[in-house]
Coordinates of all heavy atoms in Angstrom, one line a residue:
M27 N -57.4 -20.8 98.9 CA -56.5 -19.8 98.4 C -55.0 -20.1 98.6 O -54.2 -19.8 97.7 CB -56.8 -18.5 99.1 CG -56.1 -17.3 98.7 SD -56.4 -16.8 97.0 CE -56.9 -15.2 97.2
K28 N -54.8 -20.8 99.7 CA -53.3 -21.2 100.0 C -52.9 -22.2 98.9 O -51.8 -22.1 98.5 CB -53.3 -21.8 101.4 CG -51.9 -22.2 101.9 CD -52.0 -22.7 103.3 CE -50.6 -23.0 103.8 NZ -50.6 -23.5 105.2
L29 N -53.8 -23.1 98.5 CA -53.5 -24.1 97.5 C -53.2 -23.4 96.2 O -52.2 -23.9 95.4 CB -54.6 -25.1 97.4 CG -54.3 -26.5 96.7 CD1 -53.2 -27.2 97.5 CD2 -55.5 -27.3 96.7
L30 N -53.9 -22.4 95.8 CA -53.7 -21.7 94.6 C -52.3 -21.0 94.6 O -51.6 -21.1 93.6 CB -54.8 -20.6 94.4 CG -54.6 -19.7 93.2 CD1 -54.7 -20.5 91.9 CD2 -55.7 -18.6 93.2
I31 N -51.9 -20.5 95.7 CA -50.6 -19.8 95.9 C -49.5 -20.8 95.6 O -48.6 -20.5 94.9 CB -50.5 -19.1 97.1 CG1 -51.4 -17.8 97.0 CG2 -49.1 -18.6 97.3 CD1 -51.6 -17.1 98.4
I32 N -49.6 -22.0 96.3 CA -48.7 -23.0 96.1 C -48.6 -23.5 94.7 O -47.5 -23.6 94.1 CB -49.0 -24.2 97.0 CG1 -48.8 -23.8 98.5 CG2 -48.2 -25.5 96.7 CD1 -49.4 -24.8 99.5
Y33 N -49.8 -23.6 94.0 CA -49.8 -24.0 92.6 C -49.1 -22.9 91.7 O -48.3 -23.3 90.9 CB -51.2 -24.1 92.1 CG -51.4 -24.5 90.6 CD1 -51.0 -25.6 90.1 CD2 -51.7 -23.4 89.9 CE1 -51.0 -25.9 88.7 CE2 -51.8 -23.6 88.4 CZ -51.4 -24.8 87.8 OH -51.4 -24.9 86.5
L34 N -49.4 -21.6 92.0 CA -48.8 -20.6 91.2 C -47.3 -20.6 91.3 O -46.6 -20.4 90.4 CB -49.4 -19.2 91.5 CG -50.8 -19.0 91.1 CD1 -51.5 -17.7 91.7 CD2 -50.9 -19.1 89.6
I35 N -46.8 -20.8 92.5 CA -45.4 -20.9 92.7 C -44.7 -22.0 92.0 O -43.7 -21.9 91.3 CB -45.0 -20.9 94.3 CG1 -45.4 -19.6 94.9 CG2 -43.5 -21.3 94.5 CD1 -45.4 -19.7 96.5
F36 N -45.4 -23.2 92.0 CA -44.9 -24.4 91.3 C -44.9 -24.2 89.9 O -43.9 -24.5 89.2 CB -45.8 -25.6 91.8 CG -45.5 -26.8 90.9 CD1 -44.4 -27.6 91.2 CD2 -46.3 -27.2 89.9 CE1 -44.1 -28.7 90.5 CE2 -46.0 -28.3 89.1 CZ -44.8 -29.0 89.4
I37 N -46.1 -23.8 89.3 CA -46.1 -23.7 87.8 C -45.3 -22.6 87.2 O -44.6 -22.7 86.2 CB -47.6 -23.6 87.3 CG1 -47.7 -23.8 85.8 CG2 -48.2 -22.2 87.7 CD1 -47.4 -25.2 85.4
N38 N -45.1 -21.5 88.0 CA -44.2 -20.5 87.5 C -42.7 -20.9 87.6 O -41.8 -20.6 86.7 CB -44.5 -19.2 88.1 CG -45.7 -18.5 87.6 OD1 -45.6 -17.9 86.5 ND2 -46.8 -18.6 88.3
G39 N -42.4 -21.6 88.7 CA -41.1 -22.1 88.8 C -40.8 -23.2 87.7 O -39.7 -23.2 87.2
A40 N -41.7 -24.0 87.4 CA -41.5 -25.0 86.4 C -41.4 -24.3 85.0 O -40.5 -24.7 84.2 CB -42.8 -25.9 86.3
A41 N -42.2 -23.2 84.7 CA -42.1 -22.6 83.4 C -40.8 -21.9 83.3 O -40.1 -21.9 82.2 CB -43.2 -21.5 83.2
F42 N -40.4 -21.3 84.4 CA -38.9 -20.6 84.4 C -37.9 -21.6 84.1 O -37.0 -21.4 83.3 CB -38.8 -19.9 85.7 CG -37.5 -19.3 85.9 CD1 -37.2 -17.9 85.5 CD2 -36.4 -19.9 86.5 CE1 -36.1 -17.3 85.7 CE2 -35.1 -19.3 86.6 CZ -35.0 -18.0 86.3
S43 N -38.0 -22.8 84.8 CA -37.0 -23.8 84.7 C -37.0 -24.4 83.3 O -35.9 -24.7 82.7 CB -37.2 -24.9 85.7 OG -37.1 -24.5 87.0
M44 N -38.2 -24.6 82.7 CA -38.3 -25.1 81.3 C -37.5 -24.2 80.4 O -36.8 -24.8 79.4 CB -39.7 -25.3 80.9 CG -40.4 -26.5 81.7 SD -42.1 -26.6 81.4 CE -42.2 -27.1 79.7
M45 N -37.6 -22.9 80.5 CA -36.9 -22.0 79.6 C -35.4 -22.2 79.8 O -34.7 -22.2 78.8 CB -37.2 -20.6 79.9 CG -38.6 -20.2 79.4 SD -38.6 -20.2 77.6 CE -40.3 -19.6 77.4
G46 N -34.9 -22.4 81.0 CA -33.5 -22.6 81.3 C -33.0 -23.9 80.7 O -31.9 -24.0 80.1
I47 N -33.8 -24.9 81.0 CA -33.4 -26.2 80.4 C -33.4 -26.3 78.9 O -32.4 -26.8 78.3 CB -34.4 -27.3 81.0 CG1 -34.2 -27.5 82.5 CG2 -34.2 -28.7 80.3 CD1 -35.3 -28.2 83.2
D48 N -34.4 -25.7 78.2 CA -34.4 -25.6 76.8 C -33.3 -24.8 76.2 O -32.6 -25.2 75.3 CB -35.7 -25.1 76.3 CG -35.9 -25.4 74.8 OD1 -35.8 -26.6 74.4 OD2 -36.2 -24.4 74.1
K49 N -32.9 -23.7 77.0 CA -31.7 -23.0 76.5 C -30.4 -23.9 76.6 O -29.7 -23.8 75.7 CB -31.6 -21.7 77.4 CG -30.3 -20.9 77.0 CD -30.4 -20.2 75.7 CE -29.3 -19.3 75.5 NZ -29.6 -18.2 74.6
Y50 N -30.3 -24.5 77.7 CA -29.2 -25.4 77.8 C -29.1 -26.5 76.7 O -28.1 -26.7 76.0 CB -29.2 -26.1 79.2 CG -28.1 -27.1 79.4 CD1 -26.8 -26.7 79.9 CD2 -28.3 -28.5 79.1 CE1 -25.8 -27.6 80.0 CE2 -27.3 -29.4 79.3 CZ -26.1 -29.0 79.7 OH -25.0 -29.9 79.8
K51 N -30.2 -27.0 76.4 CA -30.3 -28.1 75.5 C -30.0 -27.5 74.1 O -29.4 -28.2 73.2 CB -31.7 -28.8 75.5 CG -31.9 -29.7 76.6 CD -33.2 -30.4 76.6 CE -33.3 -31.4 77.6 NZ -34.4 -32.3 77.4
A52 N -30.5 -26.3 73.8 CA -30.2 -25.7 72.5 C -28.7 -25.4 72.3 O -28.1 -25.6 71.2 CB -31.0 -24.3 72.4
K53 N -28.1 -25.0 73.4 CA -26.6 -24.8 73.3 C -25.8 -26.0 73.1 O -24.7 -26.0 72.6 CB -26.1 -24.0 74.5 CG -26.5 -22.6 74.6 CD -26.0 -22.0 76.0 CE -25.2 -20.8 75.7 NZ -24.8 -20.2 77.0
H54 N -26.3 -27.1 73.6 CA -25.5 -28.4 73.6 C -26.1 -29.3 72.5 O -25.8 -30.6 72.7 CB -25.5 -29.0 75.0 CG -24.7 -28.2 76.0 ND1 -25.3 -27.1 76.6 CD2 -23.4 -28.2 76.3 CE1 -24.4 -26.6 77.5 NE2 -23.2 -27.2 77.2
N55 N -26.9 -28.9 71.6 CA -27.5 -29.8 70.5 C -28.1 -31.0 71.1 O -27.9 -32.1 70.6 CB -26.3 -30.1 69.6 CG -25.9 -29.0 68.7 OD1 -26.7 -28.0 68.5 ND2 -24.6 -28.9 68.4
K56 N -28.9 -30.8 72.1 CA -29.7 -32.0 72.6 C -31.2 -31.8 72.2 O -31.6 -30.8 71.8 CB -29.5 -31.9 74.2 CG -28.1 -32.3 74.6 CD -28.0 -32.5 76.0 CE -26.5 -32.8 76.3 NZ -26.3 -33.8 77.3
W57 N -31.9 -33.0 72.6 CA -33.3 -33.0 72.2 C -34.0 -31.9 73.1 O -33.8 -31.8 74.2 CB -33.9 -34.4 72.6 CG -35.2 -34.6 72.1 CD1 -35.9 -33.9 71.1 CD2 -36.1 -35.6 72.4 NE1 -37.1 -34.4 70.8 CE2 -37.3 -35.5 71.6 CE3 -36.1 -36.6 73.3 CZ2 -38.3 -36.3 71.8 CZ3 -37.1 -37.5 73.4 CH2 -38.2 -37.3 72.7
R58 N -34.8 -31.0 72.4 CA -35.3 -29.8 73.0 C -36.7 -30.0 73.5 O -37.4 -31.0 73.2 CB -35.4 -28.7 71.9 CG -34.1 -28.5 71.2 CD -33.3 -27.5 71.8 NE -34.0 -26.2 72.1 CZ -34.1 -25.3 71.2 NH1 -33.6 -25.4 70.0 NH2 -34.6 -24.2 71.6
I59 N -37.1 -29.2 74.4 CA -38.5 -29.0 74.9 C -39.3 -28.3 73.8 O -38.9 -27.3 73.3 CB -38.6 -28.2 76.2 CG1 -37.8 -28.9 77.3 CG2 -40.0 -28.0 76.6 CD1 -37.6 -28.1 78.6
S60 N -40.4 -28.9 73.4 CA -41.2 -28.3 72.3 C -41.8 -27.0 72.7 O -42.1 -26.7 73.9 CB -42.4 -29.3 71.9 OG -43.3 -29.2 73.0
E61 N -41.9 -26.1 71.7 CA -42.6 -24.8 71.9 C -43.9 -25.0 72.4 O -44.4 -24.1 73.3 CB -42.5 -24.0 70.7 CG -41.1 -23.5 70.2 CD -41.1 -22.6 69.0 OE1 -42.2 -22.3 68.4 OE2 -40.0 -22.1 68.7
R62 N -44.6 -26.0 72.0 CA -46.0 -26.3 72.5 C -46.0 -26.5 74.0 O -46.8 -26.0 74.8 CB -46.6 -27.5 71.8 CG -47.9 -27.8 72.1 CD -48.5 -29.0 71.3 NE -49.8 -29.1 71.5 CZ -50.7 -29.8 70.8 NH1 -50.1 -30.6 69.9 NH2 -51.9 -29.8 70.9
S63 N -45.0 -27.2 74.5 CA -44.8 -27.5 76.0 C -44.6 -26.2 76.7 O -45.1 -26.0 77.8 CB -43.8 -28.5 76.2 OG -44.2 -29.8 75.7
L64 N -43.7 -25.4 76.2 CA -43.3 -24.1 76.8 C -44.6 -23.2 76.9 O -44.8 -22.6 78.0 CB -42.2 -23.4 76.0 CG -40.9 -24.1 76.0 CD1 -40.0 -23.4 75.0 CD2 -40.3 -24.2 77.4
F65 N -45.4 -23.2 75.8 CA -46.6 -22.3 75.8 C -47.6 -23.0 76.8 O -48.3 -22.3 77.4 CB -47.2 -22.3 74.4 CG -46.9 -21.0 73.8 CD1 -45.9 -20.9 72.7 CD2 -47.4 -19.8 74.2 CE1 -45.5 -19.7 72.2 CE2 -47.0 -18.5 73.6 CZ -46.2 -18.5 72.6
M66 N -47.7 -24.3 76.8 CA -48.7 -25.0 77.7 C -48.4 -24.6 79.2 O -49.3 -24.4 80.0 CB -48.6 -26.5 77.5 CG -49.8 -27.2 78.3 SD -51.5 -26.5 77.9 CE -51.6 -27.2 76.3
S67 N -47.1 -24.6 79.6 CA -46.8 -24.2 80.9 C -47.2 -22.7 81.3 O -47.7 -22.5 82.3 CB -45.2 -24.3 81.2 OG -44.5 -23.4 80.5
A68 N -47.2 -21.9 80.3 CA -47.7 -20.5 80.4 C -49.2 -20.5 80.5 O -49.7 -19.8 81.2 CB -47.1 -19.7 79.3
I69 N -49.9 -21.3 79.6 CA -51.3 -21.3 79.6 C -51.8 -21.8 81.0 O -52.9 -21.2 81.4 CB -51.8 -22.1 78.4 CG1 -51.6 -21.4 77.2 CG2 -53.3 -22.5 78.6 CD1 -51.7 -22.2 76.0
L70 N -51.1 -22.6 81.6 CA -51.5 -23.2 82.9 C -51.2 -22.3 84.1 O -51.0 -22.8 85.2 CB -50.9 -24.7 83.1 CG -51.4 -25.7 82.1 CD1 -50.6 -27.0 82.2 CD2 -52.8 -26.0 82.2
L71 N -51.1 -21.0 83.8 CA -50.9 -19.9 84.7 C -49.4 -19.8 85.0 O -49.1 -19.1 86.1 CB -51.7 -20.1 86.0 CG -53.2 -20.2 85.8 CD1 -53.9 -20.4 87.1 CD2 -53.8 -19.0 85.0
G72 N -48.5 -20.2 84.2 CA -47.1 -20.0 84.4 C -46.5 -18.9 83.6 O -45.3 -18.9 83.4
S73 N -47.3 -18.0 83.0 CA -46.9 -17.1 82.1 C -45.8 -16.1 82.7 O -44.8 -15.8 82.0 CB -48.0 -16.3 81.4 OG -48.7 -15.7 82.5
A74 N -46.0 -15.7 84.0 CA -45.0 -14.8 84.6 C -43.6 -15.5 84.7 O -42.5 -14.9 84.4 CB -45.4 -14.5 86.0
G75 N -43.6 -16.8 85.0 CA -42.3 -17.6 85.1 C -41.7 -17.7 83.8 O -40.5 -17.7 83.6
A76 N -42.5 -17.9 82.8 CA -42.0 -18.1 81.4 C -41.4 -16.9 80.9 O -40.3 -16.8 80.3 CB -43.1 -18.5 80.5
I77 N -42.0 -15.7 81.2 CA -41.5 -14.4 80.8 C -40.2 -14.1 81.5 O -39.2 -13.7 80.9 CB -42.5 -13.3 81.0 CG1 -43.7 -13.4 80.0 CG2 -41.9 -11.9 80.8 CD1 -44.9 -12.5 80.4
L78 N -40.1 -14.3 82.8 CA -39.0 -14.2 83.5 C -37.8 -15.0 83.0 O -36.7 -14.7 82.9 CB -39.1 -14.4 85.1 CG -40.0 -13.4 85.7 CD1 -40.2 -13.8 87.2 CD2 -39.3 -12.0 85.8
G79 N -38.2 -16.3 82.7 CA -37.2 -17.3 82.2 C -36.6 -16.8 80.7 O -35.5 -16.9 80.5
M80 N -37.5 -16.3 79.9 CA -37.1 -15.8 78.7 C -36.1 -14.7 78.8 O -35.1 -14.7 78.1 CB -38.3 -15.2 77.9 CG -39.2 -16.2 77.2 SD -40.7 -15.5 76.6 CE -40.0 -14.3 75.4
K81 N -36.4 -13.7 79.7 CA -35.5 -12.7 79.9 C -34.1 -13.1 80.6 O -33.1 -12.7 80.2 CB -36.1 -11.6 80.7 CG -37.3 -10.9 80.0 CD -37.8 -9.6 80.5 CE -39.0 -9.1 79.8 NZ -38.6 -8.7 78.4
Y82 N -34.3 -13.9 81.7 CA -33.1 -14.3 82.4 C -32.2 -15.2 81.6 O -30.9 -15.0 81.6 CB -33.5 -15.1 83.7 CG -32.4 -15.4 84.6 CD1 -31.8 -14.5 85.4 CD2 -31.8 -16.7 84.5 CE1 -30.7 -14.8 86.3 CE2 -30.8 -17.1 85.3 CZ -30.3 -16.2 86.2 OH -29.2 -16.5 87.0
F83 N -32.6 -16.1 80.9 CA -31.9 -17.0 80.1 C -31.6 -16.5 78.6 O -30.9 -17.1 77.8 CB -32.5 -18.5 80.0 CG -32.6 -19.0 81.4 CD1 -33.8 -19.2 82.0 CD2 -31.5 -19.5 82.0 CE1 -33.9 -19.8 83.2 CE2 -31.5 -20.0 83.3 CZ -32.8 -20.2 83.9
R84 N -32.2 -15.4 78.3 CA -32.2 -14.8 76.9 C -32.6 -15.9 75.9 O -31.9 -16.2 75.0 CB -30.8 -14.2 76.6 CG -30.4 -13.0 77.4 CD -29.2 -12.5 77.0 NE -28.8 -11.4 77.9 CZ -27.7 -11.4 78.6 NH1 -26.8 -12.4 78.4 NH2 -27.3 -10.4 79.4
H85 N -33.7 -16.4 76.2 CA -34.2 -17.6 75.3 C -35.5 -17.3 74.7 O -36.4 -16.7 75.4 CB -34.4 -18.8 76.3 CG -34.5 -20.0 75.5 ND1 -33.8 -20.5 74.4 CD2 -35.5 -21.0 75.6 CE1 -34.2 -21.6 73.9 NE2 -35.2 -22.0 74.7
K86 N -35.6 -17.6 73.4 CA -36.9 -17.4 72.7 C -37.2 -15.9 72.5 O -38.3 -15.5 72.2 CB -38.1 -18.1 73.3 CG -38.0 -19.5 73.3 CD -38.0 -20.3 72.0 CE -38.0 -21.7 72.1 NZ -37.8 -22.4 70.9
T87 N -36.2 -15.0 72.7 CA -36.4 -13.6 72.5 C -36.4 -13.1 71.1 O -36.9 -11.9 70.9 CB -35.3 -12.8 73.3 OG1 -34.1 -13.2 72.8 CG2 -35.4 -13.1 74.8
K88 N -36.2 -13.9 70.2 CA -36.3 -13.5 68.8 C -37.6 -14.1 68.1 O -37.8 -13.9 66.9 CB -35.1 -13.8 68.0 CG -33.8 -13.0 68.5 CD -32.7 -13.4 67.7 CE -31.5 -12.6 68.2 NZ -30.2 -12.9 67.5
H89 N -38.3 -14.9 68.9 CA -39.5 -15.5 68.4 C -40.7 -14.6 68.7 O -41.1 -14.5 69.8 CB -39.7 -17.0 69.0 CG -38.6 -17.9 68.7 ND1 -38.9 -19.0 67.9 CD2 -37.3 -17.9 68.9 CE1 -37.7 -19.7 67.8 NE2 -36.8 -19.1 68.4
T90 N -41.3 -14.2 67.6 CA -42.4 -13.2 67.8 C -43.5 -13.8 68.5 O -44.2 -13.1 69.4 CB -42.9 -12.7 66.4 OG1 -41.8 -12.2 65.6 CG2 -44.0 -11.7 66.5
S91 N -43.8 -15.1 68.3 CA -44.9 -15.8 69.0 C -44.6 -15.7 70.5 O -45.7 -15.6 71.4 CB -45.1 -17.2 68.6 OG -44.0 -17.9 68.7
F92 N -43.4 -15.8 71.0 CA -43.1 -15.8 72.4 C -43.0 -14.3 72.9 O -43.5 -14.0 74.0 CB -41.7 -16.5 72.7 CG -41.9 -18.0 72.7 CD1 -41.9 -18.7 71.5 CD2 -42.0 -18.7 73.9 CE1 -42.0 -20.1 71.6 CE2 -42.2 -20.0 73.9 CZ -42.2 -20.8 72.8
V93 N -42.4 -13.5 72.2 CA -42.2 -12.1 72.6 C -43.5 -11.4 72.8 O -43.7 -10.6 73.8 CB -41.3 -11.3 71.6 CG1 -41.3 -9.8 71.9 CG2 -39.9 -11.9 71.6
F94 N -44.5 -11.6 72.0 CA -45.9 -11.1 72.1 C -46.9 -12.0 72.8 O -47.7 -11.5 73.5 CB -46.4 -10.6 70.8 CG -45.6 -9.5 70.2 CD1 -44.7 -9.7 69.1 CD2 -45.7 -8.2 70.7 CE1 -44.0 -8.7 68.5 CE2 -44.9 -7.2 70.1 CZ -44.1 -7.4 69.1
G95 N -46.7 -13.3 72.6 CA -47.7 -14.3 73.1 C -47.6 -14.3 74.6 O -48.7 -14.4 75.3
M96 N -46.5 -14.5 75.2 CA -46.4 -14.6 76.6 C -47.0 -13.5 77.4 O -47.7 -13.6 78.3 CB -44.9 -14.9 77.0 CG -44.4 -16.2 76.6 SD -45.2 -17.6 77.3 CE -44.4 -19.0 76.5
P97 N -46.6 -12.2 77.0 CA -47.2 -11.0 77.7 C -48.7 -11.0 77.6 O -49.4 -10.6 78.5 CB -46.5 -9.8 77.2 CG -45.1 -10.3 76.6 CD -45.4 -11.7 76.2
V98 N -49.1 -11.4 76.4 CA -50.6 -11.4 76.1 C -51.3 -12.4 77.0 O -52.4 -12.0 77.7 CB -51.0 -11.6 74.7 CG1 -52.5 -12.0 74.4 CG2 -50.6 -10.4 73.8
L99 N -50.7 -13.6 77.1 CA -51.2 -14.6 78.1 C -51.3 -14.0 79.5 O -52.3 -14.2 80.2 CB -50.4 -15.8 78.0 CG -50.7 -16.8 77.0 CD1 -49.7 -17.9 77.0 CD2 -52.1 -17.4 77.1
L100 N -50.2 -13.4 79.9 CA -50.2 -12.8 81.3 C -51.2 -11.8 81.5 O -52.0 -11.8 82.5 CB -48.8 -12.2 81.6 CG -48.6 -11.5 83.0 CD1 -48.8 -12.6 84.1 CD2 -47.2 -11.0 83.1
I101 N -51.4 -10.9 80.6 CA -52.4 -9.8 80.7 C -53.8 -10.5 80.7 O -54.6 -10.1 81.6 CB -52.3 -8.8 79.5 CG1 -51.1 -8.0 79.7 CG2 -53.6 -8.0 79.4 CD1 -50.6 -7.2 78.4
I102 N -54.1 -11.4 79.9 CA -55.4 -12.1 80.0 C -55.6 -12.8 81.3 O -56.6 -12.7 81.9 CB -55.5 -13.1 78.8 CG1 -55.6 -12.4 77.5 CG2 -56.7 -14.1 79.0 CD1 -55.4 -13.3 76.2
Q103 N -54.5 -13.4 81.8 CA -54.7 -14.1 83.1 C -55.0 -13.1 84.2 O -55.7 -13.3 85.1 CB -53.4 -15.0 83.3 CG -53.4 -16.2 82.5 CD -52.0 -16.9 82.4 OE1 -51.1 -16.5 83.1 NE2 -52.0 -18.0 81.7
I104 N -54.2 -11.9 84.2 CA -54.5 -11.0 85.2 C -55.9 -10.4 85.1 O -56.5 -10.2 86.1 CB -53.5 -9.9 85.1 CG1 -52.0 -10.4 85.5 CG2 -53.8 -8.7 86.0 CD1 -50.9 -9.4 85.2
M105 N -56.3 -10.2 83.9 CA -57.8 -9.7 83.7 C -58.8 -10.7 84.2 O -59.7 -10.3 84.9 CB -58.0 -9.3 82.3 CG -57.2 -8.2 81.8 SD -57.3 -7.9 80.0 CE -59.1 -7.9 79.6
I106 N -58.6 -12.0 84.0 CA -59.5 -12.9 84.4 C -59.5 -13.0 86.0 O -60.4 -13.1 86.7 CB -59.1 -14.4 83.9 CG1 -59.5 -14.4 82.4 CG2 -59.9 -15.5 84.6 CD1 -59.0 -15.6 81.6
A107 N -58.2 -12.9 86.6 CA -58.1 -13.0 88.0 C -58.8 -11.8 88.7 O -59.5 -11.9 89.7 CB -56.7 -12.9 88.5
C108 N -58.6 -10.6 88.1 CA -59.3 -9.4 88.6 C -60.8 -9.5 88.5 O -61.6 -9.3 89.5 CB -58.9 -8.2 87.8 SG -57.1 -7.7 88.2
F109 N -61.3 -10.1 87.4 CA -62.7 -10.3 87.3 C -63.3 -11.3 88.4 O -64.3 -11.0 89.0 CB -63.1 -10.9 85.9 CG -64.5 -11.2 85.7 CD1 -65.5 -10.1 85.4 CD2 -65.0 -12.5 85.7 CE1 -66.7 -10.5 85.3 CE2 -66.3 -12.8 85.6 CZ -67.1 -11.8 85.3
L110 N -62.6 -12.4 88.5 CA -63.0 -13.4 89.4 C -62.9 -12.9 90.9 O -63.8 -13.2 91.8 CB -62.2 -14.7 89.3 CG -62.4 -15.4 88.0 CD1 -61.4 -16.6 87.9 CD2 -63.8 -15.9 87.9
L111 N -61.9 -12.1 91.2 CA -61.9 -11.5 92.6 C -62.9 -10.5 92.9 O -63.2 -10.3 94.1 CB -60.4 -11.0 92.8 CG -59.3 -12.1 92.8 CD1 -58.0 -11.4 92.9 CD2 -59.5 -13.0 94.0
R112 N -63.3 -9.8 91.9 CA -64.4 -8.7 92.1 C -65.7 -9.4 92.3 O -66.6 -8.8 92.9 CB -64.5 -7.9 90.9 CG -63.3 -7.0 90.8 CD -63.4 -6.0 89.6 NE -64.3 -4.9 90.1 CZ -65.0 -4.2 89.2 NH1 -64.9 -4.4 87.9 NH2 -65.7 -3.3 89.6
H113 N -65.9 -10.7 91.9 CA -67.3 -11.3 92.1 C -67.3 -12.4 93.1 O -66.6 -13.1 93.5 CB -67.8 -11.8 90.7 CG -68.1 -10.7 89.7 ND1 -67.0 -10.2 89.0 CD2 -69.2 -10.0 89.5 CE1 -67.6 -9.2 88.2 NE2 -68.9 -9.1 88.5

């Protein structure tokens, strides 16, 4: 359980940071982080960090796939966690 908590802190911190880095790169016309990589960080249980990063950095907030996709991922992950914790 302790290892899981450490992993969740790490992956959510990474997803949050990736949003910030990609926003910086977008503003400075640099090579960007792919949307696939941003979604992959969320799929690997970093959806909460990705959502916080989107809001904090105001990044990808006009992309429907992110605006709806990230919260859907978070909800699915919470549902799976609740199911696993019950059994």
Side-chain angles (χ1 to χ4, degrees):
M27 186 62 121
K28 188 176 181 180
L29 199 56
L30 177 62
I31 292 169
I32 291 169
Y33 172 76
L34 289 173
I35 291 168
F36 171 78
I37 194 66
N38 281 283
F42 180 87
S43 297
M44 287 172 69
M45 285 292 180
I47 292 166
D48 193 50
K49 175 70 175 202
Y50 174 85
K51 288 182 172 196
K53 285 176 126 179
H54 293 88
N55 292 326
K56 296 193 178 214
W57 192 15
R58 307 274 304 277
I59 297 172
S60 70
E61 290 187 355
R62 184 179 194 168
S63 295
L64 295 173
F65 262 107
M66 188 55 68
S67 69
I69 289 168
L70 296 173
L71 304 180
S73 54
I77 291 168
L78 290 173
M80 284 174 57
K81 295 195 181 293
Y82 184 81
F83 298 110
R84 294 188 187 122
H85 190 50
K86 300 289 185 189
T87 56
K88 294 181 181 177
H89 294 248
T90 308
S91 61
F92 280 83
V93 172
F94 293 106
M96 292 295 178
V98 167
L99 278 173
L100 180 60
I101 291 167
I102 291 169
Q103 291 168 356
I104 290 170
M105 290 171 54
I106 291 170
C108 288
F109 176 77
L110 292 175
L111 291 173
R112 291 184 77 202
H113 291 87

